[in-house]
Amino acid sequence: MLEVRGLTHRFGGLVAVSEVDLDLPQGRIAALIGPNGAGKTTLFAAIAGFLRPERGQIRFEGRDIAGLPPHEICRLGMTRTFQIVQPFAGLSVRENIAVGAHLHHRDRGAALDRAAAIAERVGMAALLDRPAATLPVAGRKRLELARALATEPRLLLLDEVMAGLNPTEINDIVATIRAIREGGVTVLMIEHVMQAVMSLAEDVYVLNQGRIIAHGAPSAIAADAKVIEAYLGHGAAARLAGAAA
Amino acid sequence: MNPRLVVLWTVGLLVALALPHAVASNAWLNFWINTLMFAALGIAWNVLGGYGGQSSFGHAVFFGTGAYGTAVLQIKLGVPALLAAPAAIGLGALVGLFIGGVSFRYGLRGSYFALVTLAFAEVFRILVSSFAFTGAGFGMLIPLDQRPINLQFPSRFAFYYAALALVGIGLAASAMIERSRFGAYLVAIRENEEAAKALGIDVFRIKLGAIVLSAALAAAVGVFYAQYLLFVDAGSAFGPAISVEALLGPIVGGAGTMLGPLLGAIALHGLGEAAKAAMGPQPGLNLILQGLLLILMLRFLPEGLIGAIRRWRGHA
């Protein structure tokens, strides 16, 4: 469904993303993890069209989308959320979600009805008439998800939708994401909450200093020496192994 | 629509229709013609600046294009006003398309967009006052010939109803914005442009649509102004005073609301008249008052009169 080949992007002298290859088959939940500053959000921005990549190919359902503007990529069926939530602060939850729903529903009434249905799916039905500005963090994260979902994407890019949530809220949103996948949507998520990555993702890509350093099933990734070193520092894997022995 | 609203709108319309006959004085009639004309200009500004959040500081450029468009077509090219008017409105829309095209293409927002629109208005003002073809520094007189085909009427009441019709058209356009996808997208862009892009909105096209509609409405008010006074000059048609008029009403009344600009224009002009009555017609006094009011509004009621009414009703 999504194929990335040799994607490279620099900010001035800093190579943010370098020669990244990524394959995401349809119907999967894949996670993109890595330490802060690894280039995850840059990679997302390039895939979703918010950044024109310097080099490399991005194919979505067989079509080259590198360099297309974000709204066209969204219309093709790929929608992203933002790590730093971007609500339409002056609008109600219902109106926020309706903006997404308008992509496939021209009629205002139909979009508003659709928004209510989506809110139900992500557990926001009780908050429909709240101004988005008054939502707590968990609500805003859900709103990001709901709005993206309202565009009826086939591929959903989730950028840290669990950051800042408490364990109960994380469990709720894990269940929501699983339900979204059951509904036929492929998911690529950036996530730091490992508990969620382990229980949701079938495929994990690890990005460090702009490069993919490991790729595989979550259990294999958790045991990968390179990954442990990327997170905990050089020699950490050996020390951990020594301590365990 | 719920029955209470139907009643309110019907009463509002009846009051508006009867208003000029309530007091038999020219001053009263002039006051309302003026107020409604600037209310219509505010409603035009509100399409782009209120719903779309793209605050123009140069709406005089569209107003002036309408006023000069109809004057030049009639005086220099002999086009009857009935045809010159729509042509001038189209010209205003084209100017909007051009200014929007260049500024939104390059992502100008906020104060940069405001400054560019101000610059365009000033350039137009200077150009128009430089060429004999557009009356140079003297302005242009549209010859008096009171026939409907010339959009000139012997009775001032006709102008009142024409201004009222302009306000009605503007309000209808606003109502359609509030109930359409275009409007939802426009408001989304105002609230958060990045999020709007991520949800499939072609930000450039929506903004362009808004500026063209806003410009066409403002040009229509300019046409009215020219037909009402039968005189246009660069300073008053393209001058910054008009641009300020266009944005002051909506900001005082409530930007991004349907009735805000109308309410704001009535409040501002009413206050101006009251000040004149109380302190005599010192020149510039109304400007000082308007400035003071604007500062107070922004400090205490940033959502305008409509916002204050909503808050009050929310508490009650």
Side-chain angles (χ1 to χ4, degrees):
Chain A
M1 167 157 256
L2 181 70
E3 279 173 59
V4 177
R5 290 285 172 273
L7 194 78
T8 300
H9 192 80
R10 265 179 301 212
F11 294 113
L14 177 78
V15 186
V17 173
S18 168
E19 298 295 332
V20 166
D21 293 341
L22 196 142
D23 279 281
L24 184 55
Q26 186 168 356
R28 289 276 184 129
I29 300 182
L32 182 64
I33 67 171
N36 287 328
K40 303 182 296 291
T41 294
T42 305
L43 180 57
F44 252 40
I47 293 173
F50 280 78
L51 203 78
R52 180 183 285 271
E54 234 173 76
R55 221 169 48 215
Q57 275 193 340
I58 306 166
R59 293 188 160 278
F60 176 60
E61 298 182 322
R63 187 176 163 168
D64 190 7
I65 58 164
L68 285 186
H71 67 266
E72 280 179 29
I73 292 178
C74 177
R75 286 173 192 183
L76 290 174
M78 180 201 300
T79 306
R80 74 169 291 190
T81 68
F82 291 91
Q83 177 185 1
I84 300 161
V85 290
Q86 310 275 359
F88 302 125
L91 306 185
S92 70
V93 166
R94 189 198 305 268
E95 289 165 334
N96 263 269
I97 305 174
V99 173
H102 266 306
L103 187 64
H104 294 292
H105 302 272
R106 171 174 277 277
D107 181 69
R108 184 84 186 129
L112 289 168
D113 289 348
R114 182 93 190 115
I118 301 269
E120 188 85 43
R121 261 173 86 186
V122 302
M124 296 192 88
L127 304 172
L128 272 172
D129 295 312
R130 278 272 289 272
T134 67
L135 291 177
V137 180
R140 289 176 188 220
K141 293 279 184 183
R142 271 178 191 276
L143 182 57
E144 278 285 319
L145 185 62
R147 234 171 31 182
L149 214 50
T151 64
E152 299 169 29
R154 290 188 297 285
L155 173 59
L156 194 55
L157 305 180
L158 303 178
D159 195 348
E160 292 202 34
V161 286
M162 298 178 204
L165 304 193
N166 68 36
T168 323
E169 291 163 347
I170 288 175
N171 278 336
D172 289 348
I173 211 158
V174 163
T176 306
I177 292 172
R178 201 168 272 140
I180 289 169
R181 198 266 301 270
E182 299 310 319
V185 180
T186 309
V187 178
L188 176 60
M189 53 190 233
I190 292 179
E191 201 46 74
H192 278 303
V193 179
M194 285 308 146
Q195 162 209 353
V197 171
M198 292 299 156
S199 72
L200 272 176
E202 293 128 332
D203 240 347
V204 179
Y205 286 86
V206 186
L207 200 63
N208 188 33
Q209 296 181 350
R211 293 175 179 278
I212 297 284
I213 58 165
H215 166 223
S219 54
I221 291 295
D224 191 304
K226 285 196 302 271
V227 177
I228 294 170
E229 302 220 333
Y231 273 91
L232 301 178
H234 186 62
R239 283 199 298 280
L240 281 177
Chain B
M1 217 151 126
N2 77 50
R4 254 188 71 196
L5 271 177
V6 175
V7 171
L8 271 172
W9 276 101
T10 313
V11 170
L13 183 65
L14 289 176
V15 168
L17 290 174
L19 200 59
H21 305 284
V23 178
S25 94
N26 253 332
W28 173 258
L29 189 55
N30 277 340
F31 168 77
W32 283 107
I33 293 174
N34 247 311
T35 302
L36 287 181
M37 177 172 79
F38 286 120
L41 185 62
I43 291 169
W45 181 92
N46 191 44
V47 169
L48 182 67
Y51 292 111
Q54 314 297 314
S55 293
S56 149
F57 209 89
H59 252 54
V61 72
F62 310 126
F63 177 90
T65 301
Y68 263 89
T70 191
V72 168
L73 283 171
Q74 289 178 69
I75 298 163
K76 299 288 173 183
L77 305 171
V79 180
L82 207 55
L83 296 177
I89 293 170
L91 219 55
L94 271 179
V95 172
L97 186 69
F98 178 74
I99 294 177
V102 290
S103 33
F104 297 143
R105 173 59 76 201
Y106 296 103
L108 290 185
R109 303 188 216 178
S111 28
Y112 297 99
F113 176 68
L115 284 173
V116 162
T117 52
L118 174 64
F120 268 107
E122 284 297 283
V123 167
F124 271 62
R125 183 179 65 80
I126 292 164
L127 282 178
V128 159
S129 56
S130 305
F131 293 103
F133 184 71
T134 49
F138 306 109
M140 300 177 99
L141 267 168
I142 299 173
L144 187 71
D145 182 0
Q146 289 173 333
R147 285 181 297 161
I149 195 174
N150 294 327
L151 296 177
Q152 294 180 25
F153 308 96
S155 158
R156 296 211 132 184
F157 289 109
F159 286 102
Y160 173 85
Y161 291 112
L164 188 64
L166 276 179
V167 168
I169 291 167
L171 290 181
S174 305
M176 265 152 70
I177 284 174
E178 291 191 359
R179 281 163 188 72
S180 68
R181 170 161 76 177
F182 169 73
Y185 278 0
L186 191 57
V187 170
I189 290 169
R190 174 188 76 202
E191 294 291 321
N192 193 321
E193 211 170 304
E194 290 305 292
K197 284 182 199 164
L199 297 175
I201 300 176
D202 187 341
V203 168
F204 177 66
R205 275 189 58 177
I206 298 290
K207 282 185 183 173
L208 215 51
I211 197 173
V212 167
L213 179 57
S214 182
L217 288 170
V221 182
V223 168
F224 173 86
Y225 171 85
Q227 294 304 127
Y228 176 50
L229 295 182
L230 295 180
F231 173 71
V232 292
D233 75 284
S236 47
F238 285 105
I242 293 290
S243 297
V244 171
E245 269 286 353
L247 63 85
L248 211 53
I251 289 176
V252 168
T257 65
M258 191 175 137
L259 291 173
L262 176 61
L263 217 58
I266 294 173
L268 276 173
H269 287 261
L271 192 79
E273 286 304 313
K276 239 191 266 175
M279 289 175 272
Q282 276 99 343
L285 187 67
N286 60 331
L287 292 179
I288 294 171
L289 265 171
Q290 284 183 355
L292 205 63
L293 187 68
L294 185 64
I295 292 169
L296 289 175
M297 290 299 295
L298 290 175
R299 172 64 187 81
F300 295 106
L301 292 172
E303 283 155 17
L305 296 173
I306 292 274
I309 293 170
R310 278 187 191 152
R311 215 177 319 157
W312 176 72
R313 280 180 45 181
H315 281 301

